[in-house]
């Protein structure tokens, strides 16, 4: 059995079709890890469009953190006071430490912070662990399993030496069928099949996944602010909740090192959702508002040439 992890993005879409090309759709399983932080267009693409063009359903897995949140409540009640955490901070955390049912938010409530580039625990807890559990369940059912993943070597330095195929200790093989392709080659391959890409690619998004991703670039954040301000409003609400669950009393969706002489209040103002949006509106250097950048975006704005 070939299990393909699909995200709604171009790379996993082409990977899914290559799996079908090689082993046939009946020997494939497609699975989507729902982080709880996806755009509605991605849910529509994965839940309705992809099953139609693939000729198979897409299974959905979601992480769940009620046990961890319950354990943190006990920790806050018993250990925080011993460590000198003020009672008002303890009680404030206890008020919000309840599962919401949203995997991304519940993960951050448990951790008392948002993921960062240096501690990108969102990928591990929201994708890798649920997907690994799905794979192990298939093995427990008696299947010999391969996990096909849409990894490209040109994505990052971390992935530049990704093997075409490797066997892992958990008992299955990982296959990277598009490892040698560039992003534009993947786009061309999907379009050559007569398959539509996720609509977000025509709306200024370089990547498809979390809305927004903690690693989104300046231009992408600006596009989100212009096109999907409601998603940033949700993250603003999440910031307020995670701040209450944090021992230090504050947390921001985006993270960065403090500047010399910068106070906590100034750091929060710079890195919170509203602060990063202000930065996204500026010209190079991040100091002066760029009126050109504030203009309404065109109906189609694709970095992959999909508007032609």
């Amino acid at each position: 059995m070939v299990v393909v992890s699909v995200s709604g993005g171009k790379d996993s879409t082409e990977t899914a079709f290559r799996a079908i090309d090689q082993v046939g759709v009946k020997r494939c399983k497609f699975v989507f890890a729902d982080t709880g932080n996806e755009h509605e267009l991605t849910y529509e693409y994965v839940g309705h469009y992809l099953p139609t063009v693939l000729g198979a359903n897409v299974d959905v897995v979601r992480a769940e953190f009620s046990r961890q949140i319950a354990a943190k409540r006990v920790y806050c009640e018993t250990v925080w006071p011993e460590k000198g955490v003020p009672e008002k901070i303890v009680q404030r955390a206890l008020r919000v430490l309840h599962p919401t049912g949203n995997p991304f938010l519940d993960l951050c409530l448990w951790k008392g912070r948002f993921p960062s580039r240096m501690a990108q625990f969102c990928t591990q807890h929201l994708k890798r662990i649920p997907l690994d559990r799905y794979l192990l369940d298939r093995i427990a059912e008696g299947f010999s399993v391969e996990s096909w993943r849409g990894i490209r070597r040109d994505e990052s330095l971390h992935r530049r030496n990704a093997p075409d195929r490797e066997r892992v200790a958990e008992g299955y093989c990982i296959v990277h069928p598009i490892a040698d392709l560039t992003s534009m080659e993947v786009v061309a391959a999907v379009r050559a099949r007569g398959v539509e890409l996720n609509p977000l690619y025509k709306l200024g998004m370089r990547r498809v996944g979390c809305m927004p991703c903690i690693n989104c670039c300046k231009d992408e954040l600006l596009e989100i602010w212009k096109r999907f301000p409601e998603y940033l409003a949700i993250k603003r609400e999440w910031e307020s909740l995670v701040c209450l669950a944090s021992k230090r009393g504050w947390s921001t969706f985006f993270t960065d090192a403090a500047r010399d002489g910068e106070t906590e209040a100034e750091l929060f103002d710079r890195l919170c959702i509203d602060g990063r949006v202000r930065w996204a509106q500026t010209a190079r250097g991040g100091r002066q508002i760029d009126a050109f950048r504030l203009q309404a975006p065109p109906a189609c704005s694709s970095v992959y040439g999909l508007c032609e």
Side-chain angles (χ1 to χ4, degrees):
M1 174 188 293
V2 169
V3 176
V4 184
S5 304
V6 297
S7 66
K10 63 187 186 313
D11 296 332
S12 65
T13 297
E14 175 59 17
T15 298
F17 278 104
R18 292 195 174 204
I20 293 174
D21 291 344
Q22 183 162 325
V23 304
V25 69
K26 291 184 178 180
R27 292 185 57 196
C28 293
K29 283 281 190 180
F30 307 99
V31 57
F32 169 67
D34 179 7
T35 66
N37 188 25
E38 314 287 334
H39 194 283
E40 286 301 319
L41 288 174
T42 295
Y43 287 125
E44 177 70 21
Y45 186 83
V46 172
H48 298 284
Y49 181 74
L50 269 187
T52 300
V53 295
L54 293 174
N57 291 330
V58 176
D59 294 335
V60 178
V61 295
R62 286 169 62 94
E64 204 272 336
F65 300 101
S66 57
R67 178 178 55 82
Q68 292 91 332
I69 290 175
K72 181 171 181 177
R73 286 184 60 84
V74 174
Y75 187 84
C76 291
E77 290 178 302
T78 58
V79 179
W80 277 14
E82 295 177 356
K83 292 181 175 292
V85 178
E87 179 65 15
K88 65 178 182 180
I89 291 182
V90 173
Q91 293 303 317
R92 190 171 63 184
L94 293 175
R95 285 200 302 271
V96 298
L97 282 173
H98 302 282
T100 68
N102 182 290
F104 190 98
L105 177 56
D106 285 351
L107 172 63
C108 297
L109 289 173
W110 166 38
K111 294 287 188 179
R113 57 171 293 190
F114 290 94
S116 67
R117 291 178 187 268
M118 298 300 293
Q120 200 162 314
F121 51 79
C122 48
T123 301
Q124 176 186 0
H125 288 285
L126 299 177
K127 292 190 175 183
R128 288 178 186 161
I129 292 176
L131 290 170
D132 282 350
R133 188 176 299 118
Y134 181 92
L135 289 164
L136 293 175
D137 286 345
R138 305 291 79 76
I139 293 173
E141 293 169 355
F143 292 100
S144 176
V145 171
E146 290 185 352
S147 174
W148 284 38
R149 304 177 184 182
I151 299 298
R152 291 182 293 104
R153 296 190 182 99
D154 73 345
E155 288 183 88
S156 66
L157 290 176
H158 176 69
R159 291 178 172 176
R160 65 181 176 182
N161 294 319
D164 292 329
R165 183 185 188 92
E166 62 179 322
R167 188 164 189 85
V168 295
E170 289 78 6
Y172 57 84
C173 287
I174 297 175
V175 180
H176 301 138
I178 63 167
D180 283 334
L181 271 60
T182 66
S183 60
M184 292 305 299
E185 287 172 338
V186 172
V187 169
V190 175
R191 298 183 76 185
R193 297 177 184 275
V195 173
E196 294 291 331
L197 289 161
N198 189 313
L200 289 173
Y201 286 125
K202 292 185 177 181
L203 301 176
M205 302 300 108
R206 294 178 179 274
R207 72 184 87 198
V208 170
C210 285
M211 178 57 61
C213 174
I214 60 167
N215 295 321
C216 76
C217 66
K218 187 176 185 179
D219 289 345
E220 193 170 15
L221 180 58
L222 186 67
E223 289 283 350
I224 294 170
W225 171 70
K226 290 178 179 179
R227 298 178 186 273
F228 315 118
E230 66 275 18
Y231 285 85
L232 298 181
I234 291 171
K235 304 309 174 295
R236 194 178 300 117
E237 294 176 7
W238 289 6
E239 279 183 334
S240 66
L241 292 173
V242 177
C243 281
L244 296 177
S246 172
K247 183 168 65 175
R248 65 179 180 176
W250 66 276
S251 184
T252 54
F253 188 84
F254 296 104
T255 57
D256 196 3
R259 296 169 176 169
D260 290 342
E262 191 172 37
T263 66
E264 281 193 351
E266 291 169 337
L267 182 62
F268 179 88
D269 185 63
R270 178 166 63 90
L271 297 181
C272 69
I273 287 292
D274 292 335
R276 296 309 275 177
V277 167
R278 289 194 300 271
W279 166 74
Q281 297 169 357
T282 62
R284 186 179 179 128
R287 297 185 181 277
Q288 185 174 351
I289 296 294
D290 185 344
F292 177 78
R293 292 176 67 80
L294 300 184
Q295 295 178 8
C300 184
S301 179
S302 171
V303 299
Y304 298 112
L306 301 179
C307 304
E308 300 171 356

